[in-house]
Amino acid sequence: MRQGLTDIEEMFKLLDQSPEIEDKPTAKPLEVSGPVIRFNDVKFHYDPDREILKGVSFEVPAGKTVAIVGPTGAGKSTISRLLYRFYDVTEGSITIDGQDLRDVTQNSLRATIGMVPQDTVLFNDSIGYNVEYGRPGASQEEIHDAAKMAQVGEFIESLPKGYDTPVGERGLKLSGGEKQRVAIARTILKGPSILILDEATSALDTKTERDIQSALDAVSANRTTVVIAHRLSTVIKADEILVLRDGHIAERGRHDELLAKDGLYAQMWNRQREATEAEEQLLRTANDPDGFVKRGMPAAE
Ligand SMILES: Nc1ncnc2c1ncn2[C@@H]1O[C@H](COP(=O)(O)OP(=O)(O)OP(=O)(O)O)[C@@H](O)[C@H]1O
Ligand SMILES: [Mg+2]
């Protein structure tokens, strides 16, 4: 037996449902072939006195990946919330295969989209249930395959109770990276044709970052993907990168094009590259103290 109320409460937390969004009486199920996503001059505010998106236009072609980067508070997660229709745009429109999100049923929209939020909230239930939620009724084998693809299978199997391990207060405490991989496993099982991924901002060690990257590659292949990216490894692969600043797209292009522009993007990634190199240097030092001494004294060579 599931704890009915708790589950519902957690689901609302998970979905961050905004009850003011209602289906139009004429709403039709979303029909997807591509799917192609379009933001047409989208403006949005939570509070009328503070505009968050000030006219954002972009397209994600079928099967391609668009990465959104930019400073904290720029409105990146807001874009993902609008696409999942937690809120309606204030002006402009968002379409999927030409259908305005306001004209389709929320159920059909959310069945088409797999959303991995920035802060994943898991159900107070077993870790297996948390993966299965992506497609209730999936077989054990399918659940295990999804977890493996998301690079979290080995970890789950190493627990004494495996997939039956309870998640929550007195059960297992998962790290941010583990939670996000459980959410990715859930999404792999769901097999949506659109993927929205809001990468966790917390710092990850190099191995965890690599694991999450393989998980993302597995889930985004051939899907129309919007990824809010904080890590260089994710953006390098994107078909287009949007640099969002102060509610506008300040720069757009592929990784090397944006580096060549030597603007905001180049500044962001040069800073991150320096931090990564410093971390790798530290790791090498820990593993190979002699090597550090040699490298640490270039002037003497
Ligand atoms: N529910 C809300 N009500 C009012 N303001 C909000 C709400 N959610 C977000 N905001 C504000 O909107 C702005 C954009 O928020 P958003 O979460 O989209 O930023 P972000 O680019 O994802 O930042 P980060 O990189 O830190 O995740 C922020 O200034 C934030 O404070
Ligand atoms: Mg965010």
Side-chain angles (χ1 to χ4, degrees):
M1 262 288 287
R2 314 244 90 99
Q3 317 94 310
L5 244 190
T6 317
D7 265 12
I8 289 167
E9 279 164 12
E10 292 211 35
M11 192 173 82
F12 274 86
K13 243 195 310 180
L14 178 89
L15 296 178
D16 188 17
Q17 283 276 27
S18 36
E20 66 267 28
I21 300 290
E22 279 179 17
D23 283 352
K24 279 188 187 167
T26 53
K28 295 196 177 65
L30 175 68
E31 286 177 24
V32 273
S33 52
V36 179
I37 302 169
R38 260 198 206 105
F39 273 59
N40 308 300
D41 203 13
V42 168
K43 297 186 181 154
F44 177 75
H45 57 243
Y46 298 96
D47 302 308
D49 52 357
R50 185 159 164 252
E51 192 146 50
I52 305 292
L53 299 180
K54 301 174 183 171
V56 167
S57 299
F58 65 92
E59 179 186 305
V60 194
K64 301 287 185 193
T65 296
V66 165
I68 304 176
V69 303
T72 181
K76 304 181 297 296
S77 298
T78 300
I79 288 181
S80 71
R81 292 179 203 127
L82 292 176
L83 189 48
Y84 210 65
R85 209 177 163 214
F86 287 143
Y87 304 93
D88 276 335
V89 300
T90 319
E91 274 180 58
S93 65
I94 304 172
T95 62
I96 294 176
D97 282 350
Q99 299 147 86
D100 193 305
L101 298 194
R102 290 165 293 196
D103 296 333
V104 301
T105 62
Q106 290 172 73
N107 276 347
S108 65
L109 175 71
R110 290 176 187 167
T112 307
I113 298 179
M115 169 95 145
V116 179
Q118 196 164 8
D119 301 300
T120 299
V121 178
L122 295 178
F123 296 109
N124 185 8
D125 205 301
S126 71
I127 194 162
Y129 174 77
N130 271 283
V131 178
E132 186 190 338
Y133 185 77
R135 180 150 48 87
S139 72
Q140 288 304 304
E141 199 188 345
E142 289 167 324
I143 293 171
H144 296 183
D145 284 350
K148 284 198 186 103
M149 242 194 253
Q151 307 291 320
V152 71
E154 251 177 61
F155 163 74
I156 298 174
E157 279 163 21
S158 75
L159 302 166
K161 288 193 188 158
Y163 283 83
D164 295 329
T165 309
V167 176
E169 293 294 323
R170 270 161 298 171
L172 179 66
K173 272 273 180 215
L174 292 163
S175 75
E178 286 155 0
K179 270 197 251 178
Q180 200 157 48
R181 273 175 287 164
V182 169
I184 292 171
R186 178 191 289 164
T187 306
I188 289 174
L189 198 60
K190 179 172 176 176
S193 41
I194 293 176
L195 177 68
I196 308 174
L197 210 132
D198 200 345
E199 281 186 346
T201 30
S202 54
L204 299 173
D205 59 73
T206 315
K207 171 162 184 333
T208 310
E209 171 162 353
R210 245 198 327 263
D211 286 352
I212 293 204
Q213 191 57 48
S214 334
L216 297 189
D217 288 348
V219 68
S220 65
N222 301 321
R223 298 214 157 93
T224 306
T225 303
V226 176
V227 54
I228 293 153
H230 300 280
R231 292 189 274 282
L232 195 52
S233 50
T234 310
V235 268
I236 282 179
K237 295 184 178 175
D239 297 292
E240 188 179 28
I241 301 160
L242 311 177
V243 185
L244 196 68
R245 182 176 51 184
D246 193 24
H248 291 285
I249 297 176
E251 293 174 12
R252 62 168 82 200
R254 291 186 65 103
H255 175 70
D256 40 1
E257 294 165 357
L258 290 177
L259 280 187
K261 263 196 189 153
D262 207 17
L264 183 63
Y265 181 84
Q267 275 171 27
M268 279 171 59
W269 296 120
N270 287 334
R271 263 207 307 277
Q272 181 168 38
R273 211 189 52 222
E274 282 161 21
T276 309
E277 278 169 9
E279 188 208 357
E280 282 169 1
Q281 174 80 335
L282 262 173
L283 280 173
R284 275 199 299 270
T285 314
N287 297 334
D288 176 18
D290 290 348
F292 175 68
V293 173
K294 280 182 217 133
R295 274 192 305 278
M297 298 190 297
E301 281 173 8

